């Protein structure tokens, strides 16, 4: 039903009927198409220019749509037209270089005025952008065994070119996430065949950046379904290997959102204390953490990956509690090893990340008494790093006085870790410190136990 109503916004005349709105949208949406050089991020100027002009277009679209509180009469517009006119707007709803917080805020303001059926309409329009997944049947249900490729690896390698990576499919990941997040439980169950396949294709792509986008999309809808429903559909057995494989890739730059999503999904679909959960946890720690240190590269790229691993230690401490004790033989040496080297501006983030993880681990193990086994080695390495940091501080103090700023986070974390050990072993740590001071010729005199 068309609305005949004149509304003005300043000097701008907004549409007064559905036909005028559609004509206006067609003109404005044409300018949203993403140029190839912007899609490939090869031209910074073009990227900036596109974001600026796109914001103005979205602002105009927002003005046209939101000025009328009543229903524009979207039921009179075909699903194909809705996808053509409104799809390009939703393509901009993600955290991409060609979008911006301002653009996303404008899109959020438009949402209440869009047709209620739009999420399903847009999901239907995604079919041409995603190739079939070998682990799904023709009815888009999980198969007991993948029909092609390696199920254990959780990677699609039979498609050299995925349609969603083409410039013509720009922003389809945003359409998937935006639309799936707005479906009800009943809609997801009924239309799983248009939600699960594109999500899984992204999650199992060989490029980590697309896997991350798929996992982000998964988190928008998977927890809407009850755990028992997920188990009945065999989705945990399908999705957990894919999630763990993404952790095992240890990409550069790191993807810190994957581990929390994996652990949340595991908690959601398995019973506390069950053998099944323990088995998955073991695989997560071994492949996602221990193997990460084993195969980490040298240089800047390797350091950034190891910083990500240190942060994952803290996440796992929070998740497993004292259960993390099972892997102390692998975790503690890998946290301590970099601390034996002198701090530099390049390595300070790595050292502070490892010290923070070490402090978290020591606190987590306080109820187990295992700290006693590692106390001597930990204090020895921390004492060395304290001396190295003091030397670095002295070297930098003659330039611009910033030496203290560089090493201050390191020395504070060392102090806090020593004090945590003292709380757990009050009679032993002071003696250990005295022994270390005797060997350090006065260089540890300022490493004191705080009251």
């Amino acid at each position: 039903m068309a609305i005949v109503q004149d509304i003005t916004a300043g000097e701008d005349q907004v549409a007064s009927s559905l036909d005028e709105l559609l004509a206006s949208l067609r003109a404005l949406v044409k300018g949203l198409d993403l140029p190839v050089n912007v899609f490939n991020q090869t031209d910074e100027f073009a990227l900036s220019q596109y974001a600026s002009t796109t914001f103005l277009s979205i602002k105009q679209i927002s003005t046209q749509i939101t000025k009328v509180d009543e229903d524009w009469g979207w039921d009179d517009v075909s699903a194909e037209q809705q996808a053509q006119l409104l799809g390009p707007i939703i393509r901009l709803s993600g955290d991409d270089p060609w979008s911006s917080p301002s653009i996303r805020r404008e899109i959020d303001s438009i949402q209440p005025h869009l047709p209620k059926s739009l999420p399903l309409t847009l999901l239907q329009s995604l079919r041409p952008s995603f190739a079939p997944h070998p682990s799904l049947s023709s009815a888009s249900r999980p198969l007991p065994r993948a029909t092609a490729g390696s199920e254990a690896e959780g990677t699609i390698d039979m498609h050299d070119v995925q349609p969603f990576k083409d410039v013509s499919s720009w922003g389809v990941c945003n359409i998937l996430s935006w639309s799936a997040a707005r479906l009800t439980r009943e809609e997801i169950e009924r239309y799983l065949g248009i939600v699960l396949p594109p999500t899984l294709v992204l999650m199992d792509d060989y490029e980590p950046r697309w896997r991350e986008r798929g996992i982000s999309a998964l988190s928008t809808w998977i927890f809407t379904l009850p755990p028992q429903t997920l188990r009945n559909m065999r989705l945990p057995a399908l999705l957990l290997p894919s999630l763990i494989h993404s952790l095992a890739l240890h990409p550069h730059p790191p993807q810190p959102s994957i581990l929390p999503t994996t652990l949340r999904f595991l908690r959601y679909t398995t019973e506390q204390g069950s053998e099944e959960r323990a088995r998955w946890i073991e695989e997560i720690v071994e492949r996602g953490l221990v193997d990460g240190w084993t195969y980490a590269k040298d240089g800047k790229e390797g350091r950034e990956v190891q910083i990500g691993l240190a942060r994952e230690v803290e996440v796992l401490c929070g998740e497993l509690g004292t259960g993390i004790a099972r892997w102390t033989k692998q975790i503690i040496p890998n946290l301590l090893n970099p601390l034996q080297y002198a701090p530099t501006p390049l390595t300070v983030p790595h050292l502070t990340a490892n010290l923070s993880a070490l402090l978290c681990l020591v606190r987590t193990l306080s109820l187990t008494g295992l700290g006693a086994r590692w106390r001597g080695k930990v204090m020895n390495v921390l004492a060395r790093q304290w001396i190295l940091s003091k030397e670095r501080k002295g070297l930098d103090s003659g330039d611009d006085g910033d030496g203290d700023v560089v090493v201050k986070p390191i020395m504070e974390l060392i102090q806090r870790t020593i004090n945590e050990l003292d709380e757990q072993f009050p009679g032993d740590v002071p003696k250990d410190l005295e022994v270390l001071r005797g060997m350090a010729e006065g260089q540890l005199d300022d490493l004191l136990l705080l009251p």
Side-chain angles (χ1 to χ4, degrees), residues 48-78:
S48 174
Q49 190 176 43
Y50 175 83
S52 299
T53 56
T54 297
F55 172 70
L56 295 177
S57 297
I58 292 292
K59 187 74 175 175
Q60 288 179 282
I61 291 171
S62 174
T63 300
Q64 293 287 346
I65 293 178
T66 61
K67 281 296 180 180
V68 172
D69 293 330
E70 302 163 76
D71 182 7
W72 274 107
W74 289 111
D75 290 343
D76 296 336
V77 183
S78 68

Side-chain angles (χ1 to χ4, degrees), residues 247 254-267 281 284-285 288-289 293 306-325 327 331 335 353-354 356-362 364:
L247 288 172
Q255 298 172 333
S257 64
I258 296 179
L259 179 59
T261 301
T262 303
L263 293 172
R264 182 187 175 192
F265 184 67
L266 183 62
R267 284 196 308 271
I281 286 289
I284 288 170
V285 177
L289 191 65
W293 279 310
Q306 291 187 64
I307 289 171
L309 293 173
R311 290 170 180 161
E312 288 184 356
V313 169
E314 298 194 49
V315 174
L316 288 168
C317 283
E319 179 71 22
L320 304 182
T322 55
I324 197 72
W327 290 278
I331 295 174
L335 292 178
N354 277 31
S356 179
L358 181 64
L359 175 58
C360 180
L361 183 62
V362 168
T364 303

Side-chain angles (χ1 to χ4, degrees), residues 93 128 133 148 153 238 248 268 318 404 406:
S93 62
H133 193 284
E153 286 302 310
L238 178 70
Y268 194 67
D404 184 55
V406 172

